[in-house]
Amino acid sequence: MNQNPIKQYYFITLLLFAIACFLGACKEQLPKPIAASTSTTGKTDSIVVKDTLPSFNSPAGIAIDGTGNLYVADYGNNLIRKITPGGLVSTFAGSGSQGATNGAANLATFNEPASVAVDASGNLYVADAGNNRIRKISAAGMVSTLAGSDSTGKVNGPAAGSSFFDPVGVTVDGSGNVYVADAGNNMIRLITSAGTVSTFAGNGNTGTSNGTLTSTSFNNPTGVAADIKGNVFIANYLNNNILKINQAGTVNLLAGTGQTGANNGPDSLATFYYPNSVAVDTADNVYVADGVNNLIRKITPAGIVTTLAGSGLAGAIDSTGTAASFNGPSGLAVDAAGNVYVADTNNNLIRKITAAGVVTTIAGTGSAGAKNGLAVAYRNKKQFKITLKSQFNIFYKPKLN
C-alpha cells in the first residue's frame, strides 16, 4: 500500500534536515587555527597555529620584559618576534618586507633589525641597522621612528634630524634614556626621554684609548647594556674587549687584552674573539656573547672571566656548561632569576642557560624560516661545521672612504 504523499514529503524533508545537521556538526569539529590571544597592550599578535614549530632567520637580538615575554630581533626576516612564557611564538611587529614604514605593527617594515630592548612600560626599542634608525614600538603596538633619518652620519640634536651609521646595539635605562652602539661611527649615542640625541662616549676615531667620555675611542662597538646603578657596558667588537663607563663618566677596561683568544682568568689576562653583545644581571655579573669563539662568557664583579656555556665548537648541543655548543651567538638577555637567553644566530635558535649552566633550546627548529607556533625544543646531538654562505654579516660593515 502506498504511503500518503503528504506524509512521504514530510519524511523526506526530515531526513534531509537530519543529514544536513550531521554534516554541519562534522564540519564544526574540523580543527581550526588557534589565534594568539590579544595582548594587554590592545594589540593582537599574528595568527599562529599552536602545533606548528616556529622558525627564525639569523636572530640577532633578544630582550625580556617584566612578565617573562621574550622579544627577538629576527634579523634575516626583518621582523620582531615574541615568545610568551608559555612558549608561543608570534610576529610582534613587521610585515617581513624590507623598509622603514611606520604605523600599525603588522604593517610596519624594518631593515635588518639587529637588537631590541624593552622598558618598564612595555615599549620596545629596535636598532634598525639597515635603516640607520632607532625605532620604537609602543605598548599599544604602534611603530614609530624614535631617532635617525635617511642620511648616514653622526648628527646630534632633535631626534628627527639626527643620523647614525650602522646602529647595531640598543639598551634602555630605568629613566627611559636609550643608549645606542653606533658601530659605524665608533660611538655610543644617547637618546633622552625628551627625544634629544647626543654623543654619550667616543671621539669617532678608531682606537683603544680609554679615559673620559669625549677622549675615549672605540673600534666598532656593537653591544651595549646598562645596569640599575647607571653604569654602561660596551662590547668593543674589533678591539676584542669589554669596557665599562661608570656613573662619573670614566671609561675603563673591564676585561680583555685586545688579542683574539678564549682565555679565562683575571680580567687583565682574559681574551675574546669579536665579542658582539653584553648583558648585566642584578648581582653585577656581566655576560658576553663571544661570537667567533661560540661561547657565552661571564665576568664576575671581582673581575674573573669564565666560560658560562659552550665548547667552542660550532654546534647546537643542549647540555651543561662546556658540553653545550652554539654557532655564532649574538644577542643576550638575563632575567631576575639569573637565567640567560641567547639569540643563537647561525643556528636559527633561541637558547636558555640557567644559573647552573644548563643549556636548552626554547624555540626554533634550526632551519631558517618565519613560522609562528608553539616553541618545542630542538636538539641536535651532532656537532657541525659553520656554513659561511648562510651567515649574515651583522656586526661589521666596512667603512666607506
Side-chain angles (χ1 to χ4, degrees):
M1 184 174 180
N2 294 332
Q3 292 183 352
N4 186 302
I6 295 176
K7 290 183 178 180
Q8 188 175 15
Y9 172 80
Y10 281 122
F11 175 79
I12 294 173
T13 301
L14 288 172
L15 179 61
L16 291 174
F17 180 78
I19 292 172
C21 290
F22 175 77
L23 292 175
C26 289
K27 184 177 180 181
E28 286 301 313
Q29 292 176 12
L30 292 174
K32 294 182 177 181
I34 303 173
S37 60
T38 303
S39 68
T40 56
T41 64
K43 166 188 163 300
T44 303
D45 294 328
S46 297
I47 292 177
V48 299
V49 180
K50 285 189 176 182
D51 59 358
T52 300
L53 291 176
S55 54
F56 303 87
N57 188 0
S58 294
I62 192 167
I64 187 168
D65 68 16
T67 59
N69 295 299
L70 292 169
Y71 301 90
V72 179
D74 198 357
Y75 184 90
N77 283 325
N78 298 306
L79 299 173
I80 305 302
R81 313 287 291 282
K82 177 182 178 181
I83 309 172
T84 68
L88 190 62
V89 179
S90 61
T91 297
F92 188 73
S95 68
S97 298
Q98 201 171 71
T101 302
N102 292 318
N106 63 322
L107 301 177
T109 54
F110 300 89
N111 186 0
E112 300 178 347
S115 182
V116 62
V118 58
D119 67 18
S121 299
N123 300 299
L124 263 64
Y125 303 89
V126 180
D128 197 7
N131 282 325
N132 294 306
R133 289 173 166 88
I134 305 303
R135 312 288 289 283
K136 178 180 179 180
I137 309 173
S138 73
M142 294 300 292
V143 179
S144 60
T145 296
L146 180 68
S149 59
D150 291 332
S151 301
T152 296
K154 50 187 175 182
V155 175
N156 291 318
S162 63
S163 57
F164 299 85
F165 181 14
D166 196 28
V168 292
V170 65
T171 194
V172 59
D173 66 17
S175 300
N177 298 302
V178 176
Y179 298 86
V180 179
D182 195 3
N185 283 322
N186 293 311
M187 292 176 170
I188 304 301
R189 311 288 289 283
L190 173 66
I191 309 170
T192 67
S193 55
T196 301
V197 178
S198 62
T199 298
F200 180 69
N203 57 24
N205 298 321
T206 300
T208 59
S209 63
N210 299 320
T212 65
L213 293 175
T214 55
S215 67
T216 194
S217 54
F218 302 103
N219 195 353
N220 206 79
T222 54
V224 60
D227 67 14
I228 58 176
K229 299 176 182 177
N231 301 301
V232 177
F233 301 87
I234 312 297
N236 201 15
Y237 186 78
L238 292 181
N239 277 345
N240 297 300
N241 57 27
I242 308 301
L243 303 176
K244 176 182 178 181
I245 305 175
N246 63 25
Q247 295 169 284
T250 302
V251 183
N252 296 304
L253 177 65
L254 184 67
T257 66
Q259 301 298 312
T260 58
N263 294 336
N264 290 317
D267 49 19
S268 60
L269 301 177
T271 53
F272 302 88
Y273 199 164
Y274 293 167
N276 57 61
S277 300
V278 287
V280 58
D281 66 18
T282 55
D284 298 328
N285 296 296
V286 176
Y287 302 90
V288 181
D290 197 0
V292 177
N293 280 328
N294 298 307
L295 300 174
I296 305 302
R297 314 287 290 280
K298 179 180 179 180
I299 309 170
T300 69
I304 302 300
V305 179
T306 60
T307 296
L308 177 67
S311 65
L313 298 174
I317 297 173
D318 286 336
S319 189
T320 301
T322 56
S325 57
F326 300 88
N327 190 355
S330 297
L332 296 176
V334 59
D335 66 18
N339 298 301
V340 178
Y341 299 87
V342 183
D344 195 1
T345 304
N346 295 333
N347 278 330
N348 299 309
L349 300 175
I350 305 302
R351 316 286 292 281
K352 176 183 177 180
I353 312 170
T354 68
V358 178
V359 179
T360 56
T361 297
I362 63 171
T365 64
S367 298
K371 290 183 178 180
N372 293 316
L374 189 63
V376 176
Y378 172 82
R379 298 173 185 270
N380 179 5
K381 297 298 183 183
K382 296 181 180 180
Q383 295 171 349
F384 55 90
K385 294 181 179 179
I386 298 174
T387 304
L388 293 176
K389 65 181 181 180
S390 67
Q391 297 178 18
F392 288 98
N393 188 2
I394 298 174
F395 296 107
Y396 178 67
K397 301 290 193 300
K399 278 62 173 180
L400 299 175
N401 293 327

